[in-house]
Amino acid sequence: MAQGVLLPKHIGIIMDGNGRWAKLRGLPRNAGHKMGAKTFRKIVRYCNKLGIKYLTVYAFSTENWKRPQEEVNGILNLLREYLNDAKNYKHENVRTKFIGDLSVFEGDILDKIKECEFESENFTGLTLNIAINYGGRNELLHATKVIAQKVKDGEIQPEDIDEAMMDNHLYTAGQPDVDLIIRPSGEFRLSNFMLWQSAYAEYIFMDILWPDFNEKSLDKALAEFTKRNRRFGGI
Ligand code: IPE
Ligand code: IPE
Ligand code: MG
């Protein structure tokens, strides 16, 4: 158990390796996503139990639309299932938010997203950000456009733009920077995840596929995190 150790305030997880997990078993890729969705629920519950305050999970990137239509539909259906189930998890006290460019989603998904966010808005446990159609570059462009419009409208001056203002225009406005980014699946890259918020994050890359990830894997990452010497540019 990772109790008694210094916990990160905000964990980011790149939930990767579903496809390879399925392939190893001779199953279709969507079977991997289904198992990955189970792992996601388990890890959300565990983070909440540990007292983690913020968790951001990368579920679908702005680049993932390149995948075959059948796979994309499978992932969107898992999202629908999760949204339909959300009300059964009220007792968990998890405040759920969806981050990314949500404007592309169909009406039924958007309505359920809004309902899920609204109903959990005042929950006091873990804040869970589910990143869908999310890309760090897209997020920065979006923030830049909103700020530029405010300058154009004379609401602010260019010299008013500072880091705090950028922070406040990101999808994660009001939340602390991500402290720890975990990427399972053996890949060593960010794939456009939380580019601004990760400036001083610790990275832990793990050689496990997301559907196999469990509470012990998270304990391992947390134990490693406590060993890191975070200097933030100081000595
Ligand atoms: C992560 O698993 C899920 C999404 C990107 C939606 P992948 O589907 O990328 O799994 P691999 O990397 O192909 O194994
Ligand atoms: C990153 O995984 C996105 C998600 C986990 C949602 P990818 O599998 O899409 O990343 P790449 O293509 O290996 O960089
Ligand atoms: Mg992948």
Side-chain angles (χ1 to χ4, degrees):
M1 269 292 286
Q3 263 159 6
V5 297
L6 183 74
L7 291 174
K9 285 197 191 82
H10 190 160
I11 300 178
I13 303 183
I14 301 171
M15 304 189 291
D16 196 18
N18 295 346
R20 277 162 283 173
W21 182 93
K23 195 173 175 206
L24 276 171
R25 286 161 181 78
L27 296 169
R29 292 180 60 87
N30 280 338
H33 295 312
K34 194 168 176 192
M35 195 52 78
K38 277 195 184 157
T39 300
F40 153 70
R41 290 174 197 219
K42 181 164 72 186
I43 295 304
V44 168
R45 231 176 285 129
Y46 190 53
C47 283
N48 195 27
K49 184 173 151 206
L50 290 178
I52 302 290
K53 285 295 166 207
Y54 296 89
L55 170 68
T56 301
V57 292
Y58 205 5
F60 193 83
S61 75
T62 45
E63 288 72 36
N64 287 147
W65 298 104
K66 289 179 198 153
R67 297 187 180 202
Q69 194 60 44
E70 192 192 346
E71 181 170 349
V72 171
N73 288 343
I75 295 170
L76 292 179
N77 283 335
L78 285 170
L79 172 64
R80 285 191 177 90
E81 257 177 50
Y82 176 79
L83 288 164
N84 286 337
D85 275 6
K87 35 183 134 357
N88 300 326
Y89 291 96
K90 275 188 179 158
H91 58 280
E92 290 185 7
N93 199 27
V94 171
R95 182 165 71 131
T96 307
K97 290 174 171 293
F98 289 82
I99 65 169
D101 176 5
L102 305 180
S103 67
V104 300
F105 292 105
E106 288 175 16
D108 71 313
I109 291 185
L110 262 189
D111 289 347
K112 283 182 201 147
I113 284 177
K114 282 186 200 137
E115 192 183 320
C116 178
E117 289 187 334
F118 178 74
E119 290 192 347
S120 70
E121 202 172 37
N122 296 317
F123 289 174
T124 53
L126 173 75
T127 294
L128 168 67
N129 300 315
I130 302 178
I132 49 172
N133 192 28
Y134 174 88
R137 288 185 172 183
N138 167 278
E139 182 179 38
L140 290 167
L141 280 178
H142 173 260
T144 305
K145 285 179 189 166
V146 175
I147 293 172
Q149 188 64 46
K150 287 184 181 171
V151 173
K152 192 176 170 206
D153 295 344
E155 249 179 76
I156 54 169
Q157 297 300 313
E159 51 274 23
D160 297 330
I161 302 170
D162 58 8
E163 292 191 7
M165 187 179 291
M166 260 327 261
D167 270 333
N168 285 328
H169 287 81
L170 299 178
Y171 300 130
T172 52
Q175 304 184 8
D177 277 349
V178 64
D179 289 308
L180 167 61
I181 293 183
I182 301 170
R183 182 166 194 160
S185 92
E187 306 294 357
F188 299 89
R189 54 179 171 260
L190 263 189
S191 304
N192 204 7
F193 186 55
M194 300 191 101
L195 298 181
W196 173 277
Q197 301 92 329
S198 65
Y200 265 100
E202 295 295 329
Y203 293 96
I204 295 184
F205 297 99
M206 299 174 79
D207 202 7
I208 184 172
L209 301 171
W210 176 247
D212 291 327
F213 195 95
N214 60 23
E215 291 89 343
K216 283 208 169 68
S217 323
L218 188 73
D219 282 347
K220 232 164 113 181
L222 291 172
E224 165 73 22
F225 175 79
T226 59
K227 284 193 239 153
R228 302 274 175 98
N229 184 1
R230 307 186 74 206
R231 286 184 287 271
F232 299 100
I235 53 170

